[in-house]
Amino acid sequence: MAIQYFWRHPLAEQVREEGREQGLEQGHIEARRQMILRILEWRGIPAPGPVRERVNACTDLDQLEAWVEGAVEATDAADLFAEE
């Protein structure tokens, strides 16, 4: 009797790979969110609740990258969103 192991099936491998890719992307997004808030903190710029909420709600990696760059030059946390 032949037993097929689902975990060795190509479909299972594809699902695992997609899960890894999603996990990596989520990790990059979360790292950028933390970086934005940490840069503001290091620079002594307070990030009030609405700013934190907006940063933490963002899932667009390109937008988060732009905000990381903006956090380096901002004089106020609201400056992150000035160009939108």
Side-chain angles (χ1 to χ4, degrees):
M1 176 185 329
I3 299 175
Q4 290 186 348
Y5 293 99
F6 175 74
W7 298 113
R8 293 185 187 168
H9 190 276
L11 178 60
E13 291 177 17
Q14 178 185 352
V15 169
R16 281 193 303 274
E17 182 60 29
E18 288 172 4
R20 276 192 289 273
E21 289 173 6
Q22 285 178 338
L24 286 172
E25 183 177 347
Q26 286 297 78
H28 290 304
I29 288 170
E30 184 58 32
R32 295 310 182 280
R33 289 173 179 160
Q34 290 176 6
M35 187 181 303
I36 292 163
L37 299 174
R38 197 170 299 135
I39 290 170
L40 292 174
E41 179 183 334
W42 288 338
R43 297 190 60 229
I45 299 171
V51 170
R52 290 180 177 278
E53 289 172 14
R54 187 162 176 190
V55 168
N56 287 323
C58 184
T59 58
D60 181 349
L61 196 53
D62 291 332
Q63 181 62 67
L64 291 167
E65 278 294 329
W67 289 346
V68 166
E69 293 173 16
V72 173
E73 298 179 4
T75 56
D76 183 83
D79 292 348
L80 294 176
F81 316 121
E83 292 185 19
E84 294 180 0

